[in-house]
Amino acid sequence: LGLIELIKHERAKIYVTALLIALGVGQQFYNANIFRRDWMAQQEIYWQIAWRIPDLQPGTLLLTHELPLEYETDFSATAVLNWIYAPDFTPPDLPFALMYTRTRLGGPKLPDLKPGTATIFPYRTVTFRGDTSASITIYAPTSGCLRVLDPVYANDLVYERYTRFLTGSIPLSDLSRIITTGKDMPVMPEDLCGKEPPHTCCYYYEKAELARQACDWDLVARLGDEAI
């Protein structure tokens, strides 16, 4: 404002003021859209996890190199993961955790990716205690459907062109940690994850992958027909 007051021409002063206001409003609008898209991306990821993983054995660690989110870390995802799969858990033991191998590998929380390595994930007033042999590797691409990786069908040879932070954890991925019987999907906290999205491509992909894991090939075929 002080610099604007140095401008002698009244009309030029109005133009400069209008331009600065427009730039300020535009920046706020741009920032709001970044957060809006990030919030939508979070919800899509959590719903795809719920479609693919109806339930989890307590003590399961989810590993990935990172999620395609702008502002949230594995700490943030760990909170939502527990709200989805263990909404009534009793402290101080946290039933589930999600770790980014890109940032945690080699540190005290995830020393290495060898089978049986203890993983301790302090989370404010609670703590997750598990080991790498009780883990599942997931991959969420920037564009596409979330994938649960495993040493047979989606192994490190299939994903050899990807970062070692992702491929290094695939041999540990134990799909038996996923409970495929009992319920179709967890009860989602809609205040966090929103209402269930329309059943489009990724829904059928996740459900077909789940049916494939359970060797229910008839269901895989029915889902394919329905998707078509």
Side-chain angles (χ1 to χ4, degrees):
L1 285 174
L3 291 173
I4 290 173
E5 285 301 317
L6 297 177
I7 301 173
K8 302 301 183 182
H9 196 282
E10 198 64 29
R11 181 170 292 180
K13 187 184 295 186
I14 293 172
Y15 288 160
V16 171
T17 302
L19 176 63
L20 290 175
I21 292 173
L23 288 172
V25 171
Q27 182 65 40
Q28 293 298 324
F29 182 77
Y30 176 78
N31 288 338
N33 264 326
I34 289 176
F35 280 95
R36 179 180 61 83
R37 287 191 295 267
D38 189 73
W39 178 241
M40 292 172 63
Q42 287 183 71
Q43 293 179 328
E44 289 175 6
I45 289 171
Y46 297 137
W47 276 103
Q48 289 179 37
I49 289 175
W51 289 334
R52 177 62 179 85
I53 303 175
D55 203 356
L56 275 172
Q57 294 184 29
T60 300
L61 170 67
L62 264 64
L63 294 172
T64 188
H65 66 304
E66 61 188 2
L67 295 175
L69 302 173
E70 292 281 348
Y71 301 108
E72 293 75 34
T73 65
D74 48 1
F75 274 86
S76 306
T78 290
V80 182
L81 190 68
N82 282 276
W83 279 322
I84 291 174
Y85 290 103
D88 302 316
F89 85 93
T90 302
D93 294 324
L94 199 64
F96 308 105
L98 185 145
M99 288 192 196
Y100 287 175
T101 53
R102 188 183 293 280
T103 54
R104 306 296 176 192
L105 186 58
K109 296 179 179 65
L110 187 64
D112 57 56
L113 292 176
K114 297 177 182 178
T117 297
T119 55
I120 300 176
F121 196 25
Y123 195 93
R124 297 185 181 273
T125 59
V126 293
T127 302
F128 170 82
R129 292 179 174 84
D131 69 76
T132 52
S133 293
S135 65
I136 296 171
T137 298
I138 63 172
Y139 169 55
T142 303
S143 178
C145 305
L146 180 133
R147 307 166 200 176
V148 174
L149 309 184
D150 68 86
V152 179
Y153 293 101
N155 54 35
D156 50 349
L157 293 177
V158 176
Y159 288 87
E160 63 179 352
R161 295 185 179 180
Y162 290 72
T163 173
R164 64 181 178 86
F165 292 107
L166 179 67
T167 58
S169 63
I170 295 176
L172 298 168
S173 190
D174 181 6
L175 269 59
S176 68
R177 307 291 304 178
I178 299 174
I179 301 173
T180 59
T181 58
K183 57 183 178 180
D184 184 55
M185 61 180 294
V187 177
M188 297 292 281
E190 288 192 2
D191 53 338
L192 293 171
C193 303
K195 294 185 177 180
E196 185 171 7
H199 292 175
T200 54
C201 177
C202 284
Y203 170 83
Y204 290 103
Y205 174 80
E206 305 300 346
K207 287 301 182 184
E209 276 284 282
L210 177 61
R212 189 269 305 160
Q213 179 186 336
C215 295
D216 190 344
W217 305 109
D218 290 337
L219 178 55
V220 172
R222 289 199 303 274
L223 287 165
D225 292 339
E226 187 178 339
I228 290 170

